[in-house]
């Protein structure tokens, strides 16, 4: 028979559905190959050319298959697709022996994963076509077209997703503040601590992989959190980071006002420190208070693995008998505390420096520690003293990630004092407001005991009051308007595809990082930020190298003590005004401290006029600060 090897007859039956679907799958794979070609052409020409050729071949074969299907063509296409899938498996497992990074496995991305799925499905269908018995009569030729519709829609959806992912890759190279030719400028790399005669405190922090309680963690000097660094106000601090991790890293000094070059942000103020390398940070600890340090390279990954610790700057004159830091960390529902006991005698005064390093879920909600057994004062927030704080009893103190509160109290005569972290239930449900969270509070499972004696009375957690910083303490002179610069910081989110993957894109002023227009300031200006949260999430907004004064919340002015913060917890649909003086030249991060949100784009910079960065972020340098 003339058409012995032809599949034409099969088009009218189920084989027709298989035929059209195989064609569509092949066209989808071709589209994805075209979409990834440009970035490959830039990176390594032969690979780029290869993807163009493969894409063209797939288009020709797919058209030919639909027009003149033969067994031989089906087998040929199946073999070709199988070869592509094989190549992909090798490149993603052991790495190809040639190319820009020979012998190194590439990461699996969304676009290539979808492409491989389309190709594998097409292989199955092509093999079915090749072995299927040819039919003689063509009946109802529209039937296979209709039959192929569902798979066509699916293929189209997958292809569109993969193409979108391929066309929005991780940025290759971005400068947050490129030098402007012709205008005089200083490199931020020169904005270091000038030499001085201060007493020097030296530390070495070795980042390493450590085994703790059966978990593989990344640590500073083998512990999580890293060692508490305690220095005296006015001291010169020298910290040498020795990187023994398999990846590059940095250290950021959260909350400290220090020279820009010492800020530790990969791709902004330095290149990430490579494995085996070391790097020394040097700054004078100007402000007393409770601070912390953490990695600012791939922060979303590195911080939760264990790269964080407390940094305490003691005032020249100690004000309390007992002074201890407490680091909250882990995830909501599994919050851990770095100590369970603090020694104190009845009558002694105690300063408890609570640091929230807990990485929240998508809702970004705060931790709400509570001190029981004695009245206490919130003596400082983010390391900065409050004016005439009055005593509180059994009150929850909300802390967004990155924030700190110093709780000061006198040890009672007969009972011990406990700091409790209430675990919250229903972590995955989007929580609308802080009070709803409290109502959902489960019994506390984490606590720190201070001193000895009877256990304090346990209040009903659902009805304990919540600390409100805007009405606490008494007023004193503070920064006030008019301001030289007023800038909106509008926080919003929207689902989409960014950096090669689908995500809930988190935006500032309508753009995600690195496309958020920077806040431009000139040294000496007074600046007001009008922060508007258009989401149902919490955003602890953090500014580097500066301390801002809280002016209003939801348009109502702060009536209590002046509040000075480096991170302001902006609740769902809340509005805040904060003010500060631009007195520390450089290029500084402003971002949400919920690592998930920052990783999805909620990050921008404040750029001083006349300062540029010689560093760049992106896949080329490997500096990925979020
Ligand atoms: Cu604690 Cu930019 O971070
Ligand atoms: Cu956020």
């Amino acid at each position: 028979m003339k058409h012995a090897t032809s599949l034409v007859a099969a088009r009218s039956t189920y084989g027709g559905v298989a035929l059209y679907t195989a064609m569509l799958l092949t066209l989808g794979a071709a589209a994805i190959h075209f979409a990834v070609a440009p970035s490959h052409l830039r990176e390594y020409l032969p690979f780029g050319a290869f993807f163009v050729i493969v894409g063209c071949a797939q288009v020709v074969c797919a058209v030919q298959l639909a027009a003149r299907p033969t067994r031989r063509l089906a087998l040929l296409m199946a073999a070709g697709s199988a070869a592509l899938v094989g190549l992909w498996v090798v490149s993603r497992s052991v790495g190809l022996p040639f190319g820009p990074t020979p012998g190194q496995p590439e990461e699996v991305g969304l676009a290539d994963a979808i492409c491989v799925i389309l190709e594998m499905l097409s292989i199955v269908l092509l093999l079915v076509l090749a072995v299927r018995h040819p039919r003689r009569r063509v009946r109802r030729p529209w039937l296979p077209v209709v039959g192929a519709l569902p798979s066509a829609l699916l293929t189209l959806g997958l292809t569109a997703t993969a193409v979108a992912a391929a066309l929005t890759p991780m940025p290759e190279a971005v400068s947050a503040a490129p030098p402007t030719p012709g205008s005089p400028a200083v490199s931020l790399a020169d904005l270091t601590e000038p030499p001085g005669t201060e007493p020097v405190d030296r530390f070495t922090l070795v980042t390493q992989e450590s085994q703790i309680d059966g978990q593989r963690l990344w640590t500073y000097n083998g512990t999580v959190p890293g060692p508490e660094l305690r220095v005296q106000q006015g001291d010169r601090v020298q910290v040498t980071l020795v990187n023994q991790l398999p990846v590059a890293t940095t250290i950021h000094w959260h909350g400290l006002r220090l020279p820009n070059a010492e800020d530790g942000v990969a791709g902004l103020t330095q290149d990430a420190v490579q494995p085996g390398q070391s790097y020394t940070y040097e700054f004078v600890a100007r402000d007393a208070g409770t601070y912390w340090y953490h990695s600012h390279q791939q922060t979303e990954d590195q911080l939760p693995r264990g790269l964080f610790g407390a940094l305490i700057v003691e005032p020249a004159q100690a004000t309390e008998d007992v002074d201890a830091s407490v680091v909250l960390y882990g995830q909501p529902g599994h919050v851990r505390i770095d100590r369970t006991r603090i020694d104190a005698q009845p009558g002694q005064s105690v300063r408890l420096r609570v640091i929230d390093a807990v990485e929240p879920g998508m809702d970004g909600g705060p931790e709400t520690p509570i001190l029981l057994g004695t009245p206490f004062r919130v003596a400082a927030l983010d390391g900065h003293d409050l004016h005439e704080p009055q005593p509180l009893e059994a009150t929850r103190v909300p802390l967004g990630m990155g924030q700190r509160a110093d709780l000061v109290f006198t040890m009672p005569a007969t009972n011990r004092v406990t700091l409790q972290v209430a675990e919250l239930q229903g972590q995955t449900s989007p929580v609308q407001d802080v009070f709803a969270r409290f109502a959902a509070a489960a019994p506390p499972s984490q606590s720190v005991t201070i001193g000895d004696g009877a256990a304090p009375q346990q209040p009903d957690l659902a009805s304990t009051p919540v600390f409100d910083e805007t009405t606490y303490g008494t007023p004193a002179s503070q920064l006030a308007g008019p301001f030289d610069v007023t800038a909106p910081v509008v926080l919003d989110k929207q689902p989409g595809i960014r950096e090669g993957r689908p995500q809930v894109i988190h935006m500032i002023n309508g753009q995600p990082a690195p496309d958020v227009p920077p806040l431009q300031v000139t040294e000496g200006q007074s600046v007001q930020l009008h922060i508007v949260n258009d989401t149902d999430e919490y955003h602890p907004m953090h500014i580097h190298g500066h301390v801002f004064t809280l002016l209003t919340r939801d348009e109502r002015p702060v009536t209590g003590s002046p509040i000075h913060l480096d991170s302001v917890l902006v609740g769902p649909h809340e509005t805040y005004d904060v003010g500060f003086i631009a007195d520390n030249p450089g290029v500084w991060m402003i971002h949400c401290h919920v690592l998930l949100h920052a990783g999805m784009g909620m990050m921008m910079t404040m750029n001083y006029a006349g300062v540029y960065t010689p560093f760049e972020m992106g896949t080329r340098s490997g500096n990925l600060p979020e």
Side-chain angles (χ1 to χ4, degrees):
M1 195 178 70
K2 191 167 175 246
H3 285 114
T5 61
S6 168
L7 293 168
V8 171
R11 270 195 284 176
S12 64
T13 65
Y14 187 74
V17 174
L19 185 83
Y20 289 129
T21 306
M23 177 197 77
L24 288 168
L25 290 168
T26 309
L27 285 176
I32 298 168
H33 285 136
F34 289 134
V36 299
S39 67
H40 282 284
L41 279 168
R42 276 194 300 275
E43 188 192 24
Y44 184 66
L45 191 94
F47 279 6
F50 174 76
F51 283 116
V52 173
I53 293 166
V54 168
C56 292
Q58 285 176 319
V59 170
V60 171
C61 288
V63 170
Q64 183 72 9
L65 185 74
R68 320 177 115 260
T70 63
R71 272 189 170 151
R72 193 201 275 157
L73 179 62
L75 280 174
L76 196 77
M77 286 173 67
S81 293
L84 288 175
V85 171
L87 210 58
W88 180 83
V89 169
V90 172
S91 71
R92 269 31 179 205
S93 53
V94 292
L96 296 171
F98 43 81
T101 53
Q104 274 203 40
E106 285 171 61
E107 258 179 67
V108 177
L110 183 68
D112 53 90
I114 289 180
C115 191
V116 162
I117 291 170
L118 298 187
E119 275 161 353
M120 292 201 295
L121 291 175
S122 79
I123 292 172
V124 173
L125 293 178
L126 289 164
L127 291 178
V128 167
L129 287 172
V131 299
R132 168 150 302 168
H133 215 69
R135 305 283 162 92
R136 284 189 186 184
R137 278 192 307 144
V138 180
R139 283 172 294 166
R140 289 180 287 183
W142 48 268
L143 205 59
V145 176
V146 173
L149 213 57
S151 49
L153 288 176
L154 189 68
T155 308
L156 200 71
L158 284 172
T159 305
T161 306
V163 167
L167 294 181
T168 57
M170 293 266 288
E172 282 168 34
V174 198
S175 172
T180 30
S183 68
V186 311
S187 164
L188 66 76
D190 297 328
L191 300 173
T192 56
E193 192 69 74
T197 55
E198 302 83 3
V200 180
D201 298 312
R202 286 194 183 80
F203 302 94
T204 302
L205 291 177
V206 182
T207 54
Q208 57 201 58
E209 255 175 343
S210 307
Q211 199 81 26
I212 299 176
D213 299 336
Q215 269 185 292
R216 280 262 283 328
L217 298 173
W218 288 357
T219 66
Y220 295 114
N221 301 358
T223 64
V224 174
E228 177 194 83
L229 307 184
R230 217 169 240 272
V231 302
Q232 290 281 311
Q233 182 176 14
D235 281 6
R236 180 168 289 263
V237 184
Q238 266 181 14
V239 187
T240 301
L241 159 65
V242 179
N243 185 13
Q244 294 182 356
L245 291 173
V247 297
T249 190
T250 67
I251 304 178
H252 166 61
W253 313 98
H254 181 120
L256 282 193
R257 296 193 268 196
L258 39 60
N260 195 210
E262 310 301 326
D263 200 38
V265 181
L268 190 58
T269 65
Q270 68 173 96
D271 281 322
V273 183
Q274 295 301 315
Q277 305 283 301
S278 47
Y279 188 94
T280 299
Y281 298 91
E282 180 167 329
F283 50 85
V284 171
R286 285 184 185 79
D287 301 319
T290 306
Y291 303 98
W292 63 304
Y293 61 92
H294 61 77
S295 160
H296 223 306
Q297 156 76 355
Q298 302 205 292
T299 319
E300 193 183 344
D301 179 45
Q302 295 194 1
L303 198 156
R305 283 176 185 257
L307 295 180
F308 57 91
L311 169 62
I312 309 302
V313 183
E314 292 181 343
Q317 232 90 62
T319 44
E320 285 79 29
D321 305 317
V322 177
D323 183 318
S325 71
V326 169
V327 185
L328 315 180
Y329 63 103
Q331 286 91 44
H334 307 274
V335 173
R336 307 182 60 179
I337 307 182
D338 66 333
R339 63 179 80 211
T340 54
R341 198 189 139 87
I342 293 163
D343 286 328
Q345 303 301 320
Q348 279 190 320
S349 57
V350 180
R351 177 176 292 250
L352 211 57
R353 302 169 178 273
V354 185
I355 301 170
D356 181 13
V358 175
E359 201 212 344
M362 264 309 266
D363 71 19
E367 288 305 307
T368 56
I370 184 168
L371 192 82
L372 299 174
T374 184
F376 67 96
R377 298 165 202 270
V378 179
L381 288 172
D382 283 3
H384 306 284
D385 288 347
L386 301 190
H387 188 242
E388 298 180 343
Q390 63 266 32
L392 300 168
E393 234 160 309
T395 300
R396 294 170 162 278
V397 181
L399 289 179
M401 187 185 189
Q403 294 189 301
R404 293 85 66 206
D406 289 17
L407 311 182
V408 168
F409 55 91
T410 304
M411 280 306 292
T414 55
N415 65 273
R416 62 182 190 244
V417 173
T418 61
L419 178 80
Q420 293 182 345
V421 179
E423 302 277 313
L424 298 166
Q425 290 169 334
Q427 290 307 317
T428 49
S429 70
V431 176
Q432 292 302 316
D433 73 65
V434 80
F435 299 100
R437 286 178 73 93
F438 298 150
S445 62
Q446 290 287 323
S447 65
V448 185
T449 303
I450 304 111
D452 303 291
Q457 214 192 325
Q458 183 69 43
D460 176 12
L461 288 175
S463 59
T464 49
V466 180
F467 175 69
D468 179 356
E469 63 201 6
T470 65
T471 56
Y472 184 66
T474 63
S477 75
Q478 69 167 37
L479 182 67
F483 292 87
D484 301 324
V485 180
T486 299
V489 177
V490 180
L491 311 174
D492 210 349
K493 60 169 184 167
Q494 131 198 325
I497 290 182
R498 178 175 163 270
E499 296 191 341
R501 62 191 170 106
Q503 54 183 247
V504 182
I505 299 175
H506 278 63
M507 300 169 293
I508 302 180
N509 298 334
Q511 298 281 348
D515 301 324
V516 185
L519 168 64
Q520 299 282 0
V521 299
T522 304
E523 187 176 0
Q525 277 181 330
S526 59
V527 184
Q528 179 183 6
L529 301 181
H530 182 64
I531 308 174
V532 178
N533 182 356
D534 279 342
T535 73
D536 51 8
E537 301 168 339
Y538 287 85
H539 302 294
M541 294 304 293
H542 173 47
I543 188 166
H544 284 210
H546 295 72
V547 174
F548 43 56
T549 303
L550 215 57
L551 303 171
T552 71
R553 179 177 67 203
D554 291 338
E555 316 292 339
R556 280 191 301 277
V558 170
T559 58
S561 162
I563 306 286
H564 303 293
L565 303 170
D566 53 67
S567 311
V568 56
L569 179 63
V570 187
H573 300 287
E574 279 182 344
T575 299
Y576 279 83
D577 286 285
V578 299
F580 63 94
I581 303 293
D583 56 1
N584 195 1
V587 183
W588 303 95
M589 281 275 171
I590 299 176
H591 63 88
C592 176
H593 218 291
V594 175
L595 307 178
L596 283 169
H597 299 172
M600 293 174 179
M602 200 167 268
M603 183 140 132
M604 64 183 288
T605 59
M606 169 167 69
N607 298 9
Y608 277 67
V611 181
Y612 73 92
T613 176
F615 306 105
E616 60 179 36
M617 304 179 262
T619 49
R620 190 162 75 196
S621 62
N623 293 322
L624 303 165
E626 69 283 5

